Structure formats: C-alpha cells, structure tokens
Amino acid sequence: MSETRPSFPARAVITGGMPYGNKNLHFGHIGGVFVPADFFARFLRDRIGKRNVLFVSGTDCYGSPIMEGYRKKVENEGYEGTIYDYVGKNHAAQKAALDAYGISLDIFEGSGLEPARSYHHSLTDDLLRRLHEKGYLVKRSTRQFFDSEAGTFLNGRQVIGRCPVRGCKSEKAYADECDLGHQFDPEELIAPVSQLTGTTPELRPVDNWYFDLPTFRPELEALMDEWDADPQVRAIVTKTVRESLVDPVIYVQTKFREAFDAVEETLPAHTLTEAEGNQQSFSVTFADWEARDRAREVLDAGGVRFRTGKCLLPFRITGNIEWGVPAPELEGTRDLTVWCWPESLWAPISFTQAALGEDEKAGGERYSSYDWRDWWCADDARVYQFIGQDNIYFYCVAQPAMWEALDWGLFQDTPVANYHILFMNKKASSSGAIKPPMASELLDFYTPEQLRAHWLSLGLDQKAVSFNPKAFDTSVSHVDKKTGEEILVKDDPRIVDPALKESAFLTNIFNRLARSCFYGANNVCGAHLPAAAPHAEVVEACRKATLDFEAAAHKFDAHGALLIAEEFCRAENKRWDDASKAAKGDDAAYAQALADAFAALRTVTLLMHPAVPFGCEKICEHMGFDADVFFSWEHAFEGPAELAARAGQTPAEHAIVPLPPRFDFFEKHPSQVKGK
C-alpha cells in the first residue's frame, strides 16, 4: 500500500462566512457552510494539533441589510431598542444556534460588537490607507438612488429592481448587486423601485472610493491557472471567476439594430459580433470598462436597449450610509463609511486578531503563535475559507486582488465553495417566497448529530442537493380511498425520512459495535481491555481506512470520508458478529474477537470525531483514554493496547467505564421513538 500522504500546514485558519446581523440562522447557514467548515476544523485540530488551528467567524453587523431590517422592526413592530441592541440580540441568537449544533468556533463575535469591533475598525483604517498609499483607491463621482418623496438617499437594500446582467433571471436586484451575487452600477438596474415610498427613485451624483479591481486581471488569470492545478480548489471556483475575466461586452437585441447602426460611429473603439443561429442579440466588445460605460451613454441617448455581460469593474469600497465602519479621511473626503462587503472580506483577519489578542491578554497559552501574521502570511500556514456558491465573486475575485494590492505578504486563501443546499428541491431564502426552516426549529425533530451526518453526506462539493426533512414536508403523499382525505408526506408512516438516512448508521451499526465492545469486555475481561492482540488483517484494515479518510478530508470531501468510515465500520461489525458467534462459549476466542472489535472501534471513533463529536467523545470517555491523546493523529495508527501503554498500563490493567443497560452513544430524537 502506498505511503504517499497529503501534506498539511503547520498552522491553519478556517473561516465560516459571516451571517448578516438582521436575522437568525436557518438550515442553509448551518448545513451549507458551518457544518462543513466545522468538520474540517475539527479534523485539522486532531490532525495538526488544537494550538495550531483557528476557526473564526462572526456576525456581519454593518450595512444596508441591517439598517433596513432595523427600520422595519421599528416601524412595523414598535421596537424601542437601538440598532446596537437589535444587532446584539440577533448575534446572541446566532451564537446559540451554532452552539446547539456543536460548531466549534474559536471566536464568534461581531464586526460592530466589542471586543472584535475595536480590532475591526483599526484594521479597516490601516487597510484603506494602505490601498490609497499604493495608488489602488480611486475616487469616483457616481450616481446614487435618491427618493425625492422621502427626501433621502437610499441605501443598497432600499432599492429593488431586475438584474441587468445578461442571462440572469433575478427579479430581486438591489442598487448594485443582485441576490445571485452579480455586480453592476446603479444606473444599470432595471425598473428600480424605492422600498420607502414605492416610487421610482432618481440618480444623483456622490463621491466614493473604489478599488481598482480591473488592474489585477493578469494576476487573477495567473491565480486561476494555479487553482486549476490545485486539487483542493473546486472547479466551480475557477469556472465562475473566469466568467468575469473577459473583455467588457454589451448585448443588443437584433430588433434594435437600426437604432444601433445610427449611433455606431460615435461609439468608442469596439468589435461587433453578429448574432448566429437562433441568437436574438449581437454583441459589442470594448477594450475596457470605461469605454463600455461611454458606449452605454451613447446607446441610452440613441434609444437602444441593451444588457451588459460580466467583467471586472471597480470595486466599491465606501458609501454614505450611517451604519457602517467609518472610512478614514482621504483627500478631503469625510463622513463616509465602508460598504459592508469589502469590510467583511477582511473581517476574518480582525477576528483572528481579536481571538489572539483577547486570549493573550488573559495570559492563556491556547495558540502556538499570537502574531496574526504567522497565521495569514507565513509560508507554513494556510487559510481555508468555506463559502457559498453565490459569494465566489467577492472571496475569489475581489479579495485576492486586494491582498495582492496591499503587499502585506498575505497569501491567497484556499476557497472551499459549496453548491447550493436546496429545501424541498427549491432554493429557499429567509427573505424570499420559500421560507427555509430555522436551525433551531429542526432540533424539535432531529438531534444535532443526525443532521450533521446528513448534511455532510449530501456531497455539496459536487452539485446542488436538496434537504428534504420529512417533518417539514407539506406535499401530499396520497389520497385515502375511503375518506378522500389527503395524507401529507410528514404524516405517512410508510415513507422513510431522507434526513435520517445516515442516522441509521449511527444509531444502529456504530452504536452496536461500541456496545458490543463495552458489554463484552465487562462480561469476560472484568471491565478491562482484552489482553489479546488484534489480528494483523484488522490492524491493516484500520490503517487503510485511516489513510483513505485522511486523503478524502484533505480534499474537503466529507461525503467520501464518511463513506469510508461507514463501510469500514460495517465490515468490522460483521467481523465481530461472525467471530463472537463462532466463539460459542470459548472465552479466549471471545476475547480475541473483542480485541479485533476494540481496535476497529478506536479507528471508527477517531475518523467520525469531526462529524459527530458528541457521541465519539462519549466513546473515548468510556474507553478510559485522555481525549487529547485518543483523538490526536500523532497516534492515529495506535490501537487501544498501544494507547494504554502510553499511560504505563497493560491492556488487562486498563479499566473501561462499564455501560448501564441499553445505553446509546448516538441517541434518536424523542420524537422518533415510539410512545414518546
């Protein structure tokens, strides 16, 4: 068997996205991002040591979504708290949901809440001054929506229209981005409507700072070549990024060809590509975004309707909404705040600084280094950013370019982009027509570990997958022939709950192997480990499963990793069944079967620990081992006898904790137990 193993960094930061501070967490936040990130963070802690891993996230406190949520709560519900109270309450609810699912963050604070707030504001000031000093911040006078009836400029979420990007079907686009992540200038938004008065807002000029993103197209193209060759970066990332690494294009429907021809000579230099086949539009390509914008003005004046394609545009850094991180005064511009998307990109650095700084103040020795640069800039460190598919533009286009521009030695992070996790085969959103179940609601029907195992097994690294919990399925199963009554899926006992598919392994196979070991050892080994050594083929099977699991986890393939652990456990459970039955009252043979089973249980528990930590830690406790030793991959190939020897004991001297009758390491939810 090959001993070629994947390499891991000396230190690692894992990020888990930043939920907006205007809402609690629904299943998509937890199952689509936080559980996969937690799986990898827990695996890395076991693999490279707890002191070498930082898992950071926090509430995204600032920006127009929060302002708008607060405004509506005050106006519609009579809320009397401040916006800090509003964000703080939502932050506390988010933290409670994450804790309930065992998301093992080192820090979950808020960008606008202390102690992280001070670190975040300071870093923001330093970072923007650095970008300005390097010449990559450009002041532009652009137009912002103004509601004449309300007499106020509108923030990004107070304007809704249709996305202007060609091919996008989003009907929920805001001032400069749609809900699918496409970026555009405010004047491109189709059919804008003010959410304050329902009127059509006008556009008025304002000065803001923009990051010169188009300048970094060559660097981004080179990075995509690197990522294409990196097995840890998913193909969806480079495919999505390359869609923006193209020349600016305008698409014009053929029915406007006569009007286009009338103004074509006044357009900046361009290349026209005629429509082919069934295409209804011809395209006009320009050298840069500025030429394209001049062309837009000409086409608008000539009555030519058009749509734009994706390309790199200057990335807006500041705005004039009140609720935001203050931007430094640059070239006389003042009273600006930072747009929430840019500052959320460097918030993980702020959270890293906060986690390290606050622990250092407390005199702790929790981490291997207290210099944030050793985590974000050192050659032997890595940052793994778990994101949703919609956020690829920000984390994989804007962020790498800014890191390059800063010249701080920040290395390019490894993005781990998951596909959408659907609900009942549809994309759900807390602000959309299809409402997803909240994370806390699910725990009325399922245990956290049942859901963790299910979500990790969906394979979101490969495609969009639907989460179909039977308890929330309101579709009709069948019509009762006698009564004519419609029976809902959730009420039909014949239908198996898809969300419990992986739970059958936990509550049956894994539980059974663990119980067999402990009850058997109590019966024939005096509640100690069996003295016999496991068979060589069992030791080899343990080793192979461990190496295969490591390779899958390194590629962020949680689905494949859990499948390896499950298949190994099923095979070893069968080995135990066959051997224990064959013993037929022979205590020595039974003890030998137990030795094999304990070796297998030790390996399964190690491998499943990142996915279902609560049950695995209970198994470790009952085996009588120190968790830091038991779950450390420094000892991954050591069986129970070797672990006991580390404590100066023989197997026969190492006591286990006896189990009470009918004990379960992985319990069913009370609602799943008949009679409860």
Side-chain angles (χ1 to χ4, degrees), residues 11 54 134 141 194 249 251 262 284 301 326 333 402 416 422 436 443 471-472 490 505 528 609 632 650:
R11 285 172 305 284
L54 262 170
K134 300 287 286 184
S141 180
S194 167
V249 179
Y251 298 91
V284 189
T333 59
M402 282 196 294
V416 188
L422 307 175
L443 297 181
F472 290 80
K490 65 179 181 178
F505 164 66
H528 290 77
H609 183 230
S632 170
T650 66

Side-chain angles (χ1 to χ4, degrees), residues 159-193 305-310 313:
V159 184
I160 291 184
R162 299 198 308 274
C163 181
V165 174
R166 183 176 183 259
C168 183
K169 304 297 183 183
S170 175
E171 296 287 331
K172 195 168 187 178
Y174 304 108
D176 50 14
E177 63 168 330
C178 76
D179 60 346
L180 297 179
H182 297 138
Q183 303 293 296
F184 45 82
D185 288 329
E187 51 261 43
E188 295 182 81
L189 182 65
I190 299 171
V193 175
R305 292 181 60 184
F306 58 87
R307 282 209 169 189
T308 54
K310 297 179 184 179
L313 296 172

Side-chain angles (χ1 to χ4, degrees), residues 216 375 406 643:
F216 291 88
W375 299 82
L406 285 167
L643 294 177

Side-chain angles (χ1 to χ4, degrees), residues 96-211:
L98 292 166
D99 289 344
Y101 281 90
I103 307 302
S104 59
L105 288 153
D106 288 84
I107 183 171
F108 186 78
E109 296 293 339
S111 56
L113 303 173
E114 294 295 356
R117 179 180 183 274
S118 297
Y119 293 94
H120 190 54
H121 282 221
S122 177
L123 177 64
T124 298
D125 190 88
D126 290 345
L127 189 146
L128 294 190
R129 291 184 188 277
R130 175 70 169 178
L131 289 177
H132 182 261
E133 171 193 319
K134 300 287 286 184
Y136 294 120
L137 283 191
V138 180
K139 185 164 61 174
R140 295 179 61 205
S141 180
T142 58
R143 293 188 290 171
Q144 183 174 336
F145 286 111
F146 184 87
D147 189 318
S148 300
E149 187 173 313
T152 184
F153 278 103
L154 300 173
N155 66 51
R157 292 299 174 107
Q158 291 176 330
V159 184
I160 291 184
R162 299 198 308 274
C163 181
V165 174
R166 183 176 183 259
C168 183
K169 304 297 183 183
S170 175
E171 296 287 331
K172 195 168 187 178
Y174 304 108
D176 50 14
E177 63 168 330
C178 76
D179 60 346
L180 297 179
H182 297 138
Q183 303 293 296
F184 45 82
D185 288 329
E187 51 261 43
E188 295 182 81
L189 182 65
I190 299 171
V193 175
S194 167
Q195 296 302 287
L196 297 185
T197 63
T199 60
T200 300
E202 61 182 86
L203 285 162
R204 294 188 179 182
V206 293
D207 284 343
N208 270 303
W209 289 101
Y210 286 74
F211 171 62

Side-chain angles (χ1 to χ4, degrees), residues 18-25 58-71 73-74 79-96 108-114 117 323-324 343 351:
M18 290 180 64
Y20 279 136
N22 61 342
K23 64 186 72 173
N24 202 343
L25 304 182
T59 301
D60 196 351
C61 294
Y62 294 112
S64 55
I66 287 80
M67 280 188 67
E68 188 65 3
Y70 175 68
R71 179 186 71 82
K73 193 167 185 68
V74 170
Y79 183 68
E80 296 181 351
T82 67
I83 194 167
Y84 281 101
D85 297 330
Y86 171 71
V87 170
K89 185 176 181 180
N90 288 325
H91 167 74
Q94 292 173 358
K95 190 174 189 307
F108 186 78
E109 296 293 339
S111 56
L113 303 173
E114 294 295 356
R117 179 180 183 274
W323 182 241
E343 50 101 351
F351 293 142

Side-chain angles (χ1 to χ4, degrees), residues 357-385:
E358 295 305 299
D359 191 67
E360 189 173 27
K361 287 178 187 176
E365 297 181 356
R366 186 174 177 180
Y367 303 109
S368 60
S369 171
Y370 282 86
D371 185 340
W372 72 269
R373 295 170 186 82
D374 287 340
W375 299 82
W376 285 84
C377 305
D379 291 340
D380 59 353
R382 290 303 303 163
V383 175
Y384 303 96
Q385 295 199 297

